[in-house]
Amino acid sequence: MKELARFISRFYYIFLFLALEGLAIALIVNNSYYQSSAIGNLFNSIAAGIYDKQASVTQYFDLHEENALLVKENAALRAMLPASKFAIVDDSTSIVDTIYMQQYSYTSAQIISRTLGKRNNYFMINKGSKQGVKSDMGVICPSGLVGVILRTTNNFALIMPVLHQDSKRSVKNKRTQATGTLVWAGGSYEKGQVIDYPSSLPLKKGDTIISSGFSSNIPEGIVVGYVESYELDAATGFYVINIRFSSNYNKIKDVYVIKDLFSKEKQKLMKGMGNE
Amino acid sequence: MNRLQIIAIGVLHFLLIAAAQIFIFNNIRFLGYINPMIYVWFILMLPYKTPYWALLLLSFAMGLCIDVFTFGQGFHTATLTFIGFLRPFILKFYTGNRDITVWQRPTSSDMGFMQFTFYITILIFIHHLLFFTLDILRFTELIPFIIRLILSSVTTIIVIIICDLLFMKHKKD
């Protein structure tokens, strides 16, 4: 017994190490469970609170750049107004009688923290369930696509950006309308990949890749990036396209969370289909 | 009193280095994704005579802190705890039969520049190797993995040496 006690007191640090390392590995293995647990929530809101304080100080630093971006977006939106269009068809007999219904509404938010260097990255924004943000809503920024909402707390939300291995967005070529799937292979945050792109349709360097609108959370036509190079995947017969993202994910700060006002109706339609 | 002072300095170092990592170095990305991980320095520069249990608990706490603030999966915690466990075995080669006061730390002025560089290079390399193996090896090919491992390690080592020369110079006794 004495021997055992001496053995333990001599090598206690090995046991302590094994216990702590075991705890860390349990954290890694059960990550999805831990993230949704009370302690995971507490950790997330601590980080959120501190990042929010930091953002309230640092957001003034690049206000100039941010303003320029927003003004540019405003100009683009202004150009889309009916008032800035000239009617080419002057057909006196036709009556234009179209009534539009609002499908998407937008909530502005600021990114208060982000990771970029890891395989799976996350952005945190300063709007949460109290402001109507829910998981699975799409997120865009003035220069393009950002991602979807993963989790929310009362006043904050975590975004799964396109820089994540589980992020698979349906995209298409703006010129030819050919669709593919946007993925991120890790590495630089400036470059992404489009896979499952049909090789039968013409593709050019510099083509614009936009969101397809197939997934209900992101409207059609949001710019994603530009084609840099492409190669044929011999095994599948599809192109693998390397693209340069239109947004600099290191810089963007102001984002819009998109609320699809028809999502309930769409879900109703899809209900029951999963069982088949 | 001595012990209390050392603990107070330790707490201060913990907060400063964690804050530097979270607010400054996590926003630095050389070549798009090379991100210096200077928080390891906190464990590397604890006094020689730090008890094992404190070393392990502090490594765990620092790792967890960085994980919480990067929404991580526990990779920092697992790797840094291992570094805390490994440190005494590596330092044994450097202390030998020297008389060591409770104040002495493994810094460049205490160990000599080359010795210090060698010491941090070993541990930083092991740390980065483990971290990147957990984080990205499943998803990348070997060559980009090795390039990223080497570039990141070198960046971290250089940043730690600069910090050591700037802040640790006059703490010899």
Side-chain angles (χ1 to χ4, degrees):
Chain A
M1 204 59 211
K2 221 175 180 181
E3 283 295 299
L4 184 70
R6 228 175 64 193
F7 178 77
I8 290 175
S9 69
R10 200 161 157 207
F11 293 107
Y12 78 93
Y13 65 94
I14 294 181
F15 296 112
L16 182 62
F17 164 68
L18 290 176
L20 291 175
E21 196 67 72
L23 202 61
I25 289 167
L27 215 76
I28 295 172
V29 175
N30 300 321
N31 192 256
S32 50
Y33 168 75
Y34 146 80
Q35 287 287 7
S36 56
S37 70
I39 185 107
N41 253 333
L42 176 73
F43 281 160
N44 269 339
S45 36
I46 291 173
I50 290 177
Y51 278 131
D52 195 37
K53 291 243 157 49
Q54 187 208 8
S56 66
V57 177
T58 53
Q59 64 178 331
Y60 298 106
F61 296 160
D62 39 21
L63 216 52
H64 191 72
E65 217 169 306
E66 203 59 40
N67 267 343
L69 206 65
L70 293 176
V71 167
K72 212 168 137 191
E73 192 194 17
N74 269 346
L77 292 176
R78 205 171 267 276
M80 280 150 94
L81 286 176
S84 55
K85 296 219 161 102
F86 182 81
I88 297 173
V89 184
D90 196 8
D91 187 349
S92 53
T93 56
S94 74
I95 299 164
V96 181
D97 187 14
T98 317
I99 298 170
Y100 290 102
M101 242 176 109
Q102 188 83 26
Q103 185 183 357
Y104 296 105
S105 73
Y106 298 81
T107 310
S108 71
Q110 267 102 42
I111 293 180
I112 56 171
S113 156
R114 75 191 94 204
T115 66
L116 288 174
K118 303 201 296 180
R119 180 61 185 92
N120 292 327
N121 297 292
Y122 300 96
F123 296 170
M124 187 179 262
I125 54 168
N126 61 355
K127 292 277 166 73
S129 50
K130 268 190 184 164
Q131 288 80 30
V133 175
K134 291 196 191 102
S135 58
D136 277 343
M137 283 181 173
V139 183
I140 59 169
C141 66
S143 51
L145 179 68
V146 180
V148 296
I149 301 286
L150 193 65
R151 281 196 298 279
T152 58
T153 56
N154 276 344
N155 294 303
F156 300 97
L158 211 53
I159 302 174
M160 178 170 83
V162 290
L163 311 173
H164 193 289
Q165 63 165 324
D166 295 333
S167 166
K168 293 193 172 61
R169 304 276 138 240
S170 175
V171 292
K172 66 181 180 187
N173 187 327
K174 193 178 179 185
R175 197 164 53 85
T176 64
Q177 303 286 316
T179 59
T181 308
L182 175 73
V183 294
W184 188 59
S188 168
Y189 58 80
E190 287 164 341
K191 302 208 162 110
Q193 272 185 333
V194 176
I195 55 169
D196 296 341
Y197 186 95
S199 53
S200 53
L201 285 156
L203 183 64
K204 267 196 312 210
K205 240 171 125 175
D207 272 356
T208 308
I209 300 293
I210 58 174
S211 63
S212 69
F214 289 172
S215 55
S216 71
N217 40 22
I218 293 163
E220 188 187 340
I222 306 294
V223 180
V224 174
Y226 308 99
V227 174
E228 278 210 321
S229 63
Y230 54 92
E231 60 193 36
L232 188 70
D233 184 353
T236 60
F238 284 106
Y239 274 143
V240 173
I241 312 174
N242 295 311
I243 65 161
R244 186 167 42 81
F245 286 126
S246 57
S247 318
N248 180 348
Y249 293 112
N250 196 9
K251 282 267 164 64
I252 54 165
K253 203 155 257 179
D254 284 286
V255 296
Y256 303 105
V257 181
I258 306 169
K259 186 177 182 187
D260 184 358
L261 301 173
F262 291 154
S263 72
K264 260 200 190 130
E265 200 177 320
K266 284 177 182 168
Q267 271 166 22
K268 214 158 127 194
L269 199 61
M270 297 290 281
K271 216 182 224 171
M273 279 176 56
N275 303 337
E276 283 168 27
Chain B
M1 198 56 208
N2 250 353
R3 174 172 282 189
L4 213 63
Q5 264 173 299
I6 287 175
I7 291 171
I9 290 173
V11 171
L12 197 68
H13 278 164
F14 186 102
L15 294 177
L16 283 177
I17 291 177
Q21 179 70 50
I22 292 163
F23 297 123
I24 301 168
F25 288 99
N26 277 353
N27 294 318
I28 294 177
R29 295 170 193 101
F30 298 116
L31 306 176
Y33 55 87
I34 309 283
N35 172 220
M37 296 195 253
I38 64 135
Y39 69 91
V40 190
W41 186 41
F42 173 70
I43 297 304
L44 300 185
M45 63 123 171
L46 284 169
Y48 289 108
K49 291 206 164 163
T50 312
Y52 289 133
W53 60 268
L55 208 53
L56 287 170
L57 287 175
L58 285 171
S59 322
F60 186 82
M62 179 55 106
L64 190 65
C65 181
I66 302 301
D67 265 327
V68 165
F69 279 90
T70 53
F71 321 110
Q73 308 180 12
F75 298 154
H76 291 292
T77 319
T79 39
L80 196 64
T81 308
F82 185 69
I83 294 303
F85 175 70
L86 218 56
R87 192 191 100 134
F89 299 102
I90 306 285
L91 271 185
K92 229 172 228 169
F93 295 112
Y94 292 99
T95 49
N97 298 323
R98 279 203 291 159
D99 278 332
I100 285 170
T101 66
V102 285
W103 287 103
Q104 262 172 286
R105 291 167 183 282
T107 63
S108 64
S109 56
D110 186 83
M111 302 169 90
F113 186 77
M114 288 314 287
Q115 301 264 33
F116 174 74
T117 308
F118 197 61
Y119 159 66
I120 61 166
T121 303
I122 294 173
L123 284 174
I124 292 288
F125 186 75
I126 294 173
H127 173 271
H128 281 44
L129 178 66
L130 273 177
F131 181 80
F132 285 130
T133 304
L134 287 171
D135 191 31
I136 60 168
L137 186 57
R138 282 168 293 164
F139 314 109
T140 47
E141 285 169 20
L142 204 61
I143 302 295
F145 172 79
I146 291 170
I147 292 171
R148 183 162 176 185
L149 173 65
I150 291 172
L151 285 178
S152 297
S153 305
V154 169
T155 314
T156 305
I157 291 164
I158 290 171
V159 172
I160 290 183
I161 289 174
I162 291 169
C163 288
D164 178 88
L165 293 175
L166 281 178
F167 302 115
M168 288 292 158
K169 194 101 188 176
H170 309 291
K171 294 214 169 163
K172 196 165 178 178
D173 35 23

